[in-house]
Amino acid sequence: MKSKNSCFFIFITSILFFAGCNSDSKVEARKTPKSQTEIEDLPENNLKFKDVNGIRFFEVKRRFKNGVSFNNDGFQQIPTWIIQFKAPDTMLAYSPEKKKMESFYLHHDHGRIYNFAREYFRVRIISKDSLVLQRVQVDAMKIAGDDDPRSDVYSTYYSKKIIDKLNTTIGELQKPTSRDTLFIKDLSLKTYKDPSNPTVAFPATSPVVFVPNSKNVSVEKISTADELNNRKSAVDYFYPYYKIVINKSYKDFVYNFSVVVDANGKMYVTKGYEFVLPEYREQRKKLLQGIADMYLSNLFYITPGKTLGIPHSSEISLKVIGRTGN
């Protein structure tokens, strides 16, 4: 009898155990989160562009992941965009050249990835007050990871309503921050310690300025922007190029070379002699340095390049033309 009761108890316990397991499985199924695809398909607060249809947003911040507008090369992210979603699949974006909003097809690639105005973005946040978009780099249909500097750009947009509520202006919100200033001071300090070194010099957002102090010289700053080769005017300060003409020089000459201009306006030749025969390179470098020291330093007032008002070493390219006549 005892044996039968024991068997019956074990049987009932087994039924309850499996029933319990089955019940737990259903609970787990109900609690299972959305698939990764579904999660990726929605911004963090689950809104979509259709929820902000007709609201105009102004870009107030464009920064790297570290919260700074500059990278280690000195490139500055400047917030300039104005966008507005227009249902069902159009993104309006302001064109400074045409001074009006232009229409772009808003292509939903997959997940949070969208494309408009020839750029790919990952949508981070959508709300009726603000948007956060991450610019992503796509090569051969593959998205570069967040550790790729080309995908390390985050833009924040505010609606006019929230800007007014904050009692501020778009211009104020777009200004560089104290963190930006500290970052540039740190980069500049490195150039003060090694002023002639092109590897620590960085492009100045306000490039070097040459002002003639003689009627025998002239200078022209030439833009290197090239839309065909995708070199935009926004990065023109990365490639400062000057054409300088010196009349009544000791002889006729044309030299193309580069110099680092330090925080005091002193020039150090860095390129322009590497293409001559090795045995003549040092001689050519001394010649170019002589032109910089004797002609340029004496015939021009030189203002060093500055970023956020802070002078620092920056590298520039020169085409110097000497003419013995007028």
Side-chain angles (χ1 to χ4, degrees):
M1 184 70 180
K2 185 176 181 180
S3 177
K4 288 183 178 180
N5 287 338
S6 298
C7 290
F8 180 75
F9 176 78
I10 292 171
F11 175 73
I12 293 298
T13 302
S14 299
I15 291 174
L16 291 173
F17 174 78
F18 285 113
C21 287
N22 189 46
S23 175
D24 287 346
S25 295
K26 289 180 180 178
V27 171
E28 286 300 313
R30 288 197 296 269
K31 289 183 178 179
T32 299
K34 295 178 180 178
S35 69
Q36 188 60 42
T37 301
E38 290 177 303
I39 292 172
E40 176 69 12
D41 195 44
L42 292 171
E44 292 173 9
N45 58 0
N46 293 348
L47 293 184
K48 295 186 177 182
F49 279 115
K50 67 179 182 180
D51 298 307
V52 294
N53 181 45
I55 300 176
R56 185 163 294 188
F57 291 93
F58 301 84
E59 189 180 16
V60 294
K61 291 184 283 187
R62 189 186 300 178
R63 295 174 185 165
F64 295 100
K65 191 184 300 182
N66 61 4
V68 177
S69 300
F70 294 86
N71 65 10
N72 289 326
D73 295 325
F75 179 72
Q76 182 183 13
Q77 296 287 353
I78 301 176
T80 58
W81 283 43
I82 303 171
I83 60 175
Q84 178 181 329
F85 177 69
K86 181 180 179 182
D89 55 12
T90 299
M91 185 66 80
L92 303 176
Y94 182 75
S95 168
E97 292 80 15
K98 297 182 180 179
K99 296 183 178 179
K100 66 176 184 178
M101 300 293 281
E102 285 193 89
S103 298
F104 295 93
Y105 173 62
L106 180 65
H107 170 65
H108 182 202
D109 190 273
H110 73 281
R112 300 187 199 179
I113 305 300
Y114 290 80
N115 177 286
F116 67 90
R118 298 176 294 279
E119 297 280 2
Y120 281 91
F121 299 90
R122 176 179 284 117
V123 177
R124 290 293 184 180
I125 295 174
I126 294 179
S127 78
K128 293 187 177 181
D129 289 332
S130 64
L131 305 174
V132 177
L133 306 180
Q134 176 191 0
R135 192 266 180 191
V136 293
Q137 178 66 26
V138 177
D139 293 316
M141 303 305 292
K142 184 177 180 181
I143 299 173
D146 289 358
D147 56 342
D148 188 310
R150 297 172 300 172
S151 289
D152 182 24
V153 180
Y154 298 80
S155 295
T156 300
Y157 297 80
Y158 285 171
S159 68
K160 190 67 170 65
K161 181 179 178 181
I162 195 65
I163 293 171
D164 291 340
K165 189 175 180 180
L166 293 171
N167 195 28
T168 186
T169 64
I170 297 167
E172 282 297 316
L173 292 170
Q174 291 175 332
K175 286 182 178 179
T177 65
S178 57
R179 289 185 66 181
D180 291 325
T181 301
L182 289 173
F183 186 82
I184 292 301
K185 283 183 176 179
D186 184 58
L187 288 183
S188 299
L189 184 60
K190 294 175 183 176
T191 74
Y192 303 157
K193 294 177 180 178
D194 195 2
S196 65
N197 188 346
T199 63
V200 297
F202 62 97
T205 54
S206 297
V208 173
V209 176
F210 290 90
V211 177
N213 63 20
S214 167
K215 63 181 181 180
N216 291 321
V217 294
S218 63
V219 60
E220 177 187 3
K221 188 175 184 299
I222 299 173
S223 173
T224 58
D226 185 352
E227 293 296 333
L228 290 177
N229 291 308
N230 202 32
R231 181 179 286 185
K232 300 178 181 179
S233 57
V235 297
D236 199 34
Y237 71 91
F238 248 65
Y239 311 95
Y241 178 53
Y242 304 80
K243 177 184 175 183
I244 293 175
V245 177
I246 303 169
N247 293 312
K248 297 184 178 180
S249 62
Y250 74 101
K251 71 172 186 177
D252 292 334
F253 61 80
V254 177
Y255 292 115
N256 290 282
F257 58 102
S258 297
V259 297
V260 164
V261 181
D262 72 10
N264 296 310
K266 182 174 174 56
M267 289 174 285
Y268 305 86
V269 173
T270 56
K271 297 186 186 80
Y273 54 88
E274 63 273 25
F275 299 114
V276 300
L277 292 173
E279 57 266 33
Y280 297 118
R281 285 177 187 168
E282 192 59 33
Q283 180 182 344
R284 175 59 63 88
K285 184 178 181 181
K286 287 181 179 179
L287 170 65
L288 298 176
Q289 189 65 55
I291 291 173
D293 292 340
M294 298 303 296
Y295 281 115
L296 305 187
S297 293
N298 290 314
L299 296 175
F300 292 92
Y301 299 110
I302 302 172
T303 302
K306 299 177 183 178
T307 299
L308 301 184
I310 302 168
H312 57 82
S313 295
S314 60
E315 191 171 27
I316 65 173
S317 297
L318 301 170
K319 181 175 186 176
V320 182
I321 302 171
R323 295 171 179 164
T324 54
N326 293 329

